[in-house]
Structures are given as structure tokens and as C-alpha cells.
Amino acid sequence: YFRYEYQTEDIINDIIAGGYGLDWNYQKKLYIECNAGGSLPSGTRYVLIDTNNKDKVYSGIVSKDGNSAIKNYEMWTLYKKELNSFFSSLIGYLTIAVFLVVTGLMLWVLKSDFNILEYGYAGMDGLFLIGPFLYLFLIPAITMRSLAEEKRTGTVETLMTHPLSDWTIVCAKFLAAWTLVFISLLPTLVTYFSVYALGDPTGNIDTGAVVGSYIGLLLLGGAFVAIGIFCSSLTSNQIVSFILAALLCAVAYLGFES
């Protein structure tokens, strides 16, 4: 987006004054501030200022392809926006609360095969058996609005006018939803330390197996997020997106399990 060659300070001033060659596909001009001399080599720091909104400033370091740095900046901005949207409504808190309450009841309160106290073995197998089935429904609930809501409200058209590739948009939405999955797992570490303390002798728990299971559950959550975002891109109806994602996640998980 900003590969420019210049030889003198006058040329730079012309660029700053007229915004020559700085029109993006959504017809906004940008200023560029840099030191004089030659072209912009890899590693050069740059500042881009939106002339329609002087408070909107992009900065970074020129990469080999000349534009990935600003794309990464935009992806980070979109990632934060998506993550904030989860916690600015009930969906983020509700998802985490449901996951923790159900797993807590199943592991500690209700009499079942998953109850740690009745299991007679210092392990967390119950959590890693229950978790995938909860994520079958909770993750589609997170991702159902990722692109479906954008289509319904028409904001997807505004999003597409920005200098962002489809890959950047999808990655930002994926990482935001996956971060929420990661956050939902963090409080379950209390279960690990509880089992660790209750073991006879203390610490009698297979920590390596627990760590591996956590990584597996997190990666499974990432796979469900990817499926959910894909389903959300197929329709503008959130309910349809949820049902389709839940079905595909179930087929993917139970199919491989069998």
C-alpha cells in the first residue's frame, strides 16, 4: 500500500501536501512522514495519518512486502474490537459461567461417574470428557454472530471497504473467539490444584497428562471455533448458523471419536 521512491525533501513535501499515490480502495487519502533519501527499505519506521480523521494514525515498520505491518496493526485492532464485543454483552460472561457451573456441578456436587470425590483416583478425566460436549453447544453460540450479524446489519459491507484482506478479518474473529475459549479454561485450574492437594500422598496426580489434555481441549475448541465462523459466513441468520455449527462440530468430534 505504501511503496514510494523519492530523492529529495521537495518530493516528500509534495506527497504530504497532495497525498499522491496514497488513495486506498475506499477512497481515503493518507499522509506519510519519513526521512528523505531513496526508497523505503525493510525495517523503516513509518507513520500514516488519515486526512479525513487526523486522530486515526497508523504506525509501524515496513516489512518485506511493504504492507503486512499495517495489516497486522489492523488485525490487532479488529481482534480487540471483537473481544470487547463479547464482554460488552452477556454472551462472553454467560458462556464462561455456564461452562464453569456445569463442570463444577458434575465434578464436585452431583453423584455421577465424573465426580472426582467418588472416583477414587486423583485425576481430572471427568473435566476432559465433559468439556468437549459443552463446547459443542457453547462455541457455536459464541461464533454464530461473527459474520451472520455483520451480514444482517449490513456492517460487513463497511468492513470490506477497509484495506483488510479476508484472511485478516477471519483471523481476527477466530483469535477473539478462541481467546474466549482459553479464558473459560483458566478457572478450571482451581480443580487441578484441588486434586493436587487432596491426593494421597499430596501431589499424586499425573501433571503431564493434565497439561496434554488441556492443550488438546484448547485445540479442539479452536477447531470448533473455525467450524462456527465458517457456518456464520454461510448465512445471515444467527439461529441457522448456531444449529449448523453445532451439527458440524458434533459430526467432526463424534465421528473421529468413533
Side-chain angles (χ1 to χ4, degrees):
Y1 291 106
F2 37 85
R3 287 178 180 169
Y4 306 101
E5 293 185 358
Y6 47 84
Q7 299 297 331
T8 66
E9 188 173 355
D10 292 337
I11 296 178
I12 297 176
N13 291 332
D14 289 340
I15 293 175
I16 294 176
Y20 300 139
L22 297 177
D23 287 331
W24 281 6
N25 60 351
Y26 61 117
Q27 300 302 313
K28 284 190 176 182
K29 291 185 177 181
L30 301 172
Y31 289 152
I32 183 169
E33 300 175 3
C34 52
N35 295 323
S39 61
L40 297 180
S42 177
T44 300
R45 292 187 175 276
Y46 63 84
V47 176
L48 299 177
I49 304 173
D50 190 336
T51 58
N52 294 329
N53 181 3
K54 294 296 181 65
D55 293 331
K56 193 171 184 180
V57 179
Y58 306 92
S59 61
I61 300 176
V62 175
S63 61
K64 291 183 179 180
D65 62 359
N67 58 31
S68 62
I70 195 167
K71 287 182 179 179
N72 291 336
Y73 179 87
E74 288 282 6
M75 185 176 73
W76 170 246
T77 302
L78 183 58
Y79 164 79
K80 291 190 295 183
K81 171 183 172 295
E82 291 294 322
L83 192 60
N84 288 335
S85 69
F86 289 134
F87 292 103
S88 62
S89 62
L90 289 177
I91 185 170
Y93 301 102
L94 191 60
T95 300
I96 295 174
V98 169
F99 180 79
L100 295 178
V101 168
V102 173
T103 54
L105 290 174
M106 296 293 290
L107 295 177
W108 297 102
V109 179
L110 300 179
K111 294 182 181 298
S112 66
D113 294 336
F114 306 111
N115 192 296
I116 292 175
L117 299 177
E118 296 183 353
Y119 189 48
Y121 175 74
M124 296 177 60
D125 297 356
L127 172 64
F128 302 117
L129 290 173
I130 299 170
F133 289 98
L134 290 176
Y135 280 154
L136 279 176
F137 299 98
L138 295 180
I139 290 179
I142 295 172
T143 60
M144 66 181 182
R145 59 178 297 176
S146 295
L147 291 170
E149 181 69 9
E150 301 271 13
K151 289 182 178 181
R152 188 185 68 81
T153 59
T155 54
V156 67
E157 297 177 359
T158 304
L159 187 62
M160 291 302 180
T161 60
H162 286 70
L164 297 171
S165 65
D166 295 344
W167 175 258
T168 300
I169 295 172
V170 171
C171 281
K173 291 181 176 292
F174 170 82
L175 291 175
W178 200 18
T179 299
L180 191 62
V181 174
F182 175 74
I183 293 174
S184 72
L185 284 175
L186 287 179
T188 62
L189 291 175
V190 174
T191 301
Y192 168 76
F193 290 112
S194 298
V195 174
Y196 184 93
L198 293 172
D200 185 20
T202 300
N204 183 29
I205 182 174
D206 191 346
T207 301
V210 171
V211 171
S213 297
Y214 266 115
I215 293 173
L217 187 57
L218 183 62
L219 293 177
L220 180 66
F224 286 174
V225 169
I227 292 173
I229 292 178
F230 167 71
C231 294
S232 182
S233 69
L234 300 178
T235 177
S236 59
N237 189 305
Q238 295 185 40
I239 304 301
V240 174
S241 172
F242 171 81
I243 295 174
L244 186 59
L247 288 175
L248 288 182
C249 287
V251 169
Y253 177 66
L254 298 176
F256 282 110
E257 186 184 50
S258 62

